Amino acid sequence: MSNDAQAGVTATATAGNANESLLVQFAAALPEILASTGHDEMWGVTLKDVDHVPTSIVLTKFLRANTGDLTAAKKQLTSALEWRKKMQPLELVKQSYSEEKFGGLGYVTTHKDEGAAKETIISWNIYGVVKDNKKTFGDVEEFIKWRAALMELSVHKLNLPTATERIPEDGEDQYQMIQVHDYLSVSFFRPDPNVKKASQEAIRVFSLAYPELLAHKYFVNVPTIMGWMYGLMKLFVAPATLKKFHPMTSGTTLGSELPGIVATLPEAYGGKGQDVKTVGETVRLTSEPVPVAAEKKTEGTAPVPASEEKKEHAASPVTSAAAPAVTAVEETKAEESKAEETAKPADLPNPLGSAPVEPATKTESDAPAAAAPADTKTEEVATDAPVVEDAKPEGAGERK
């Protein structure tokens, strides 16, 4: 073996040991974190030690969401556990939600990949069904609970509690899902304060509590006129995050992006399968009045330190034009970066959605970049754009 090759092997081994050491250190801090929060469940996994595969998967995701920053990962995990203890998301899945407000808005489907021995989980957000923004997004706490329930339904499909395979060091994370945001019939020129408020809270909550769970986001039936937004995003969003965004003017193009599951992908999205509303799963809905929570909090559904304020996608936008798009970006970015306390979800134009927009030069904040023009029309759009659903700092680790 040549000297150069040997050096490469040594460097790789050193990097691997460093990563392993971070995971071991994180696991060593787990008992203290669990004791301080009084909660040991994350995404259905009862957290134990580094030898427990499901636990190692959870810890790896929090580490990657924070680019290997152990201190930040511990803070985020602590806040996420506190949020889960308060909100009890596993119980939210068992509750019923207003069909009038959320009916037809979100679905989860599972697809067998013909070319690989794996399943593809897709979380769908059909924004065009929302007829009244105030009803759907006006009660922020109710919206967050519904969205969290849908996210938990999606995460459940990943089977994390029974996983037997670890996430490879510096390798691809096999425990992720795909998100599709459909903007058919959505107006891109009517900002709505209700959507904006719900979106901001959704970004904060999901970026904090659901890191590294989304592999790709597809924005379908996006008007051609919105193409300029995608171009603008290239100036502010980290390349690794941008790679996860796939805007399409036609929903049928999705089939060409996901050839392995065309057989079961809905026909409206370029597949040969049944309509998502027919085969998709969703949360429990009721036509009966849903009791309002005794203790209402508009500003958030969980105790989240200011330093942990990351941005996540929130809910489905309907009548806000660029809003939905902006929301999507913020959501994924939050999921992909180490959201720090420097920016807020609505501070930067978020062209395609709900991932926090991160400056091209990576400012260690998965919130909008400070350099973004604050009074541009684009920002206005992002600010009023409804945050679309679930994604948290997902690629902060820049590995894919």
Side-chain angles (χ1 to χ4, degrees):
M1 182 181 291
S2 68
N3 291 334
D4 288 342
Q6 181 61 55
V9 170
T10 302
T12 300
T14 301
N17 291 335
N19 289 332
E20 182 180 359
S21 176
L22 278 177
L23 184 58
V24 171
Q25 290 178 57
F26 199 177
L30 197 51
E32 183 179 347
I33 293 174
L34 299 183
S36 69
T37 60
H39 191 74
D40 63 359
E41 176 274 329
M42 178 62 65
W43 308 329
V45 173
T46 298
L47 300 177
K48 298 180 180 179
D49 53 49
V50 72
D51 294 324
H52 183 235
V53 174
T55 296
S56 75
I57 291 172
V58 171
L59 298 185
T60 297
K61 285 180 177 292
F62 276 85
L63 275 172
R64 289 190 174 189
N66 290 280
T67 323
D69 184 329
L70 182 57
T71 300
K74 290 192 290 186
K75 286 182 179 179
Q76 185 183 350
L77 178 61
T78 298
S79 294
L81 287 170
E82 290 173 347
W83 180 83
R84 293 187 75 82
K85 180 180 180 179
K86 176 178 180 178
M87 295 302 294
Q88 294 295 313
L90 295 182
E91 293 303 312
L92 292 180
V93 180
K94 302 174 185 178
Q95 295 180 18
S96 295
Y97 301 85
S98 171
E99 185 169 12
E100 180 183 19
K101 296 178 181 180
F102 308 113
L105 185 55
Y107 296 94
V108 179
T109 57
T110 303
H111 308 265
K112 289 284 187 182
D113 193 322
E114 297 178 352
K118 68 172 185 177
E119 290 186 330
T120 296
I121 311 301
I122 301 181
S123 175
W124 305 79
N125 291 281
I126 317 297
Y127 301 121
V129 304
V130 179
K131 304 305 177 188
D132 188 326
N133 281 343
K134 186 172 183 180
K135 280 186 178 178
T136 300
F137 304 106
D139 186 330
V140 177
E141 182 178 7
E142 182 183 25
F143 172 74
I144 293 297
K145 286 183 176 180
W146 168 81
R147 190 60 194 81
L150 184 66
M151 187 61 175
E152 289 293 323
L153 188 61
S154 304
V155 174
H156 177 70
K157 302 293 182 184
L158 296 175
N159 299 313
L160 297 181
T162 57
T164 57
E165 201 176 308
R166 297 173 184 276
I167 296 175
E169 289 180 19
D170 299 317
E172 184 177 353
D173 183 345
Q174 66 272 45
Y175 301 103
Q176 295 183 318
M177 65 187 82
I178 286 174
Q179 214 170 48
V180 175
H181 305 302
D182 189 344
Y183 299 107
L184 186 65
S185 301
V186 171
S187 166
F188 278 69
F189 300 97
R190 292 186 297 172
D192 186 297
N194 292 299
V195 173
K196 173 183 175 181
K197 191 172 185 179
S199 297
Q200 290 179 336
E201 180 60 10
I203 291 175
R204 184 186 74 78
V205 170
F206 285 90
S207 64
L208 165 75
Y210 299 98
E212 289 291 311
L213 288 172
L214 296 184
H216 293 281
K217 284 176 181 288
Y218 294 94
F219 307 95
V220 305
N221 294 314
V222 177
T224 307
I225 192 173
M226 297 309 291
W228 65 272
M229 280 188 124
Y230 187 71
L232 180 62
M233 277 198 318
K234 294 180 180 179
L235 301 176
F236 302 105
V237 179
T241 299
L242 197 62
K243 287 178 182 178
K244 294 190 175 186
F245 296 158
H246 309 278
M248 308 171 181
T249 55
S250 171
T252 56
T253 307
L254 186 60
S256 62
E257 292 286 327
L258 304 171
I261 61 172
V262 167
T264 55
L265 200 63
E267 189 174 343
Y269 299 99
K272 302 175 183 177
Q274 295 179 285
D275 184 73
V276 65
K277 296 179 182 178
T278 302
V279 298
E281 293 182 50
T282 189
V283 298
R284 297 180 181 180
L285 299 171
T286 178
S287 55
E288 298 297 319
V290 177
V292 180
E295 204 182 306
K296 198 167 215 151
K297 294 191 176 181
T298 356
E299 288 282 313
T301 48
V304 182
S307 63
E308 287 302 68
E309 238 168 85
K310 299 187 179 184
K311 285 82 195 181
E312 218 309 323
H313 49 288
S316 31
V318 169
T319 45
S320 281
V326 174
T327 312
V329 168
E330 245 176 66
E331 157 183 295
T332 295
K333 163 106 198 199
E335 213 172 307
E336 289 213 10
S337 48
K338 174 184 177 184
E340 283 304 348
E341 58 272 340
T342 49
K344 298 191 175 182
D347 293 335
L348 175 68
N350 198 10
L352 277 185
S354 58
V357 179
E358 155 182 38
T361 53
K362 197 136 180 157
T363 332
E364 285 268 324
S365 112
D366 78 289
D375 40 56
T376 63
K377 184 166 188 181
T378 305
E379 172 180 78
E380 180 179 316
V381 171
T383 297
D384 298 311
V387 116
V388 269
E389 89 173 64
D390 37 75
K392 209 199 139 342
E394 180 154 78
E398 305 269 25
R399 15 166 150 284
K400 273 300 171 217

